[in-house]
Amino acid sequence: MLRLDGSWRWSSVLVLIFLHFSLQGAHCSLNISPVGSSRVIGRAGSNVTLAVTFSGATDPVVTWFRGSLPVLTWTVGSSETADVAADYRGVLTIQDDGSLTFVNVAVDHGGNYSVELTKSGLAKAVALFTLAVFEIFQNVDLKVQPDLIKEGSDRFTLQYSMSQGVVQDHVWFFKGSALETTSHYTVEQRSVVIHQPNRSDTGRYTLLLTNPFSRVETHINVTVLYGPDEPTLEARPPQPFYVSGDSLSLVCSAGGFPRPTAQWIFGDQTLPTSHDGVLNRTNVQISQGGVYTCTLVNDETGAKRQKTLTLNVYEKPSANMTCSVQSVNDNTQLQYHCQWPGGAPQAELSFPALGVSISGVDDFSLTVSSSEDLDGRVVTCMAVHPLQNNQCNITAMSPVQFLPALRTTVDSEGRIVVLVQCVSDARPEALVSWSRGSDDVANGTNYQISNSTTWLQIRGYNVSDFVQEKYTCTCRNPLGSQSREIQLQGPAVSDFSLFSNPEGTIVTLTWEVPPTSVVTGFDVQMKGPDLLSPSSVQTQRAPVQYRTIQQRPGSARKTDVSVLDPKRTYRFRVVPRARTTEGEPSEVQRIGPGEGLSGPAIAGIAAGIPCSLLFLFLLAGLVYLCIYFYNNRNRQARYPVSRAVEKTVAVQSEVTPHHLLSGGLKSPPDYNRLRIPLNGQWLCPRLSLHLLSEWLRPSDPSLICL
Ligand SMILES: *[C@@H]1O[C@H](CO)[C@@H](O)[C@H](O)[C@H]1NC(C)=O
Ligand SMILES: *[C@@H]1O[C@H](CO)[C@@H](O)[C@H](O)[C@H]1NC(C)=O
Ligand SMILES: *[C@@H]1O[C@H](CO)[C@@H](O)[C@H](O)[C@H]1NC(C)=O
Ligand SMILES: *[C@@H]1O[C@H](CO)[C@@H](O)[C@H](O)[C@H]1NC(C)=O
Ligand SMILES: *[C@@H]1O[C@H](CO)[C@@H](O)[C@H](O)[C@H]1NC(C)=O
Ligand SMILES: *[C@@H]1O[C@H](CO)[C@@H](O)[C@H](O)[C@H]1NC(C)=O
Ligand SMILES: *[C@@H]1O[C@H](CO)[C@@H](O)[C@H](O)[C@H]1NC(C)=O
């Protein structure tokens, strides 16, 4: 390596020859010096020469030392081989000029060398060398300690090793910049220590090793485990609440490496672990509302963190909202009720109109003292629910005017039982109190009051037990009261009417009963010839006495009689009964030609043409009257009817009560009956005569014809 080139050698030789001849024999001194640098670098395995040049004497003795240890001695110019220390045989050779050559130099040959030149009589000369021997790097390896690096731990260390190589220089890089010793890093001979590692220390570390003969770059990827950080737990889509049936996902996440896994707890239930931190809730139910706890776990480090979320699942109350009002505290106070049960959460109910700010849920009630301004006032209950607001109205009303209803039956012991019903439309429902004369009626054997108090049942064997007394019923609720007096009457019949079929063979008898009359049955009586029957032999006898042909129950208001002979005259009447007591018979209705017809009727037939003309005229008038009459009648104001009474009457259909409320209306006649029968004897239709008799009130309808 430090081999001198030719020209340099030549000039050195010339200088030496010159010095040799000019200084020969004069006062000489020895001199030795390195050729080139005294610091010599060699690659292991190569030949390296520590080159010197000397002057001042011929054939001096050259001795090479390593440190203070002589390793080679030789006399320049001598033919003898150099004396080499045992450890260095085969390694060290001496050149003619005293330079020292290493053959296949090894790393451990590196060190401080010196050369001494001696010649007897002359002072010795010394030159110093430093030899550095480098190997080429091989199998450089980087390691990290410990294996698991956690954020917040004390430290971690990167270290390198290699199978061979001498390092002149080493530099650590992290993400492209060289590391120097700071509070965070400590760069040492063969390692670097990273203190208080955090996630930003994750990355690629590079080690660069250099010496004069080689350069090696090695990498290592370091991961600092961390987390979970503070988790976020949210529902998606984000909403303040969900309706049962909705679908949603709970998403739990936090920074961390490796990515944390989520464990879910709902109530005291542990739900399946989800690696993506998502808990799906499809068709969510109310029972699934509540507090969810998400625990995030770093599976490598075992670190955990928790977060909770309250899931609101709502549902509308499924039932209908209802409002009602009751009377409480002995019928003195009103209690308004508002119900809207179910739902989640329950709806909040209140009656702002009542001026009280109390509210409640489910079945909410408010008791207030009755006052006049509540009568007929619409009171609204407001319901507030997150999903829907609602309201219902209730109006309290004092009792309205009413009519008592009556029905009469006979009990198993043969007693007459009169049921009196007093129902007044009122809200809250009115309680009824009963009195007889000036005394209150007590619940007992003869008087029974129904649970609802609206019925009074009076029992007695004799109708005279009933008719002497005046009964009063008072319907009362907290807002007011209505009273009604009832004076019962003995059996009676009104509005007795007769209708016939066109042939005159069947008649329908109808009648009514006064509203307060006590009736348990009717005798239908007839005066006239016997009724026809297929088997009976007809007699011409016309009995002069009324005889009972039918008995009808107290509920009956009509009956049919057949078979009549159209050519004969019959008279009918109805006798009402209260058990054994008979009432006044009804007026008499007659059907048939009549006894006095024969003479004048024949005359009438003789005068048939004028009669027909008159009849046609009357008929026209009659038709007009009929239409007018029925139109009017349909328009007639009805008795005020309480719905409750109607309802009750309808319910009690097993025994038809008096048609008290229909005002005794007759059933409308069949207009077909206005047809004129082409019967020679009957020039005037019977019905027309009947109707005319109703309006014109003649003593004998047949006279009209005449
Ligand atoms: C080193 O010197 C030895 C002996 O003189 C020789 O055999 C060898 O080839 C030399 N090596 C080199 C690399 O020059
Ligand atoms: C070589 O000498 C230098 C000073 O000249 C000294 O610093 C160094 O330690 C020595 N090396 C050895 C291996 O003795
Ligand atoms: C180290 O990370 C880099 C990317 O940052 C990648 O290209 C390389 O393959 C990784 N090396 C190892 C040994 O994982
Ligand atoms: C949850 O729902 C989302 C989308 O709605 C879906 O992508 C995901 O796979 C579901 N996860 C589970 C665990 O069912
Ligand atoms: C209740 O009454 C108020 C007025 O008094 C009316 O606006 C509202 O529609 C009523 N609500 C119902 C449910 O009838
Ligand atoms: C009257 O008595 C009858 C039984 O005797 C009973 O069923 C009824 O509830 C009582 N009425 C009242 C108002 O207490
Ligand atoms: C019914 O009462 C009246 C008058 O009080 C009496 O004349 C009659 O005999 C009584 N009838 C019966 C069956 O008790």
Side-chain angles (χ1 to χ4, degrees), residues 215-228:
R215 170 195 162 91
V216 170
E217 231 181 48
T218 6
H219 308 285
I220 186 168
N221 288 348
V222 170
T223 302
V224 180
L225 306 177
Y226 68 98

Side-chain angles (χ1 to χ4, degrees), residues 429-468:
E429 234 171 57
L431 280 179
V432 187
S433 55
W434 299 86
S435 60
R436 184 173 57 128
S438 55
D439 301 331
D440 284 350
V441 172
N443 204 9
T445 358
N446 290 336
Y447 297 101
Q448 283 198 348
I449 299 170
S450 69
N451 276 333
S452 62
T453 70
T454 55
W455 289 91
L456 171 67
Q457 207 177 51
I458 313 167
R459 287 164 194 269
Y461 285 103
N462 199 327
V463 73
S464 58
D465 299 346
F466 302 98
V467 298
Q468 286 155 5

Side-chain angles (χ1 to χ4, degrees), residues 615 619 622-623 626 670-677 685 687-689 691:
F615 169 73
L619 181 68
L622 172 75
V623 168
C626 287
D670 183 352
Y671 284 100
N672 287 339
R673 301 189 182 191
L674 292 176
R675 281 181 301 159
I676 303 170
L687 181 70
S688 311
L689 291 176
L691 287 171

Side-chain angles (χ1 to χ4, degrees), residues 17 91 142 186 224 226 393 401 423 457 532 575 580 604 660 664:
I17 290 168
V91 176
L142 266 182
T186 304
V224 180
Y226 68 98
N393 290 340
Q401 288 200 345
V423 176
Q457 207 177 51
L532 298 174
V575 179
T580 52
L660 168 75

Side-chain angles (χ1 to χ4, degrees), residues 57 69 200 223 326 410 526 633:
L69 180 76
S200 62
T223 302
Q326 289 177 357
V410 179
M526 186 185 78
R633 207 168 243 205

Side-chain angles (χ1 to χ4, degrees), residues 242-284:
Y242 299 83
V243 181
S244 63
D246 279 356
S247 293
L248 61 109
S249 302
L250 297 180
V251 182
C252 183
S253 61
F257 192 93
R259 197 173 162 181
T261 53
Q263 293 166 355
W264 294 93
I265 294 175
F266 171 59
D268 48 8
Q269 262 178 286
T270 304
L271 305 177
T273 298
S274 66
H275 282 276
D276 55 358
V278 177
L279 178 67
N280 283 349
R281 281 281 184 246
T282 51
N283 187 17
V284 70

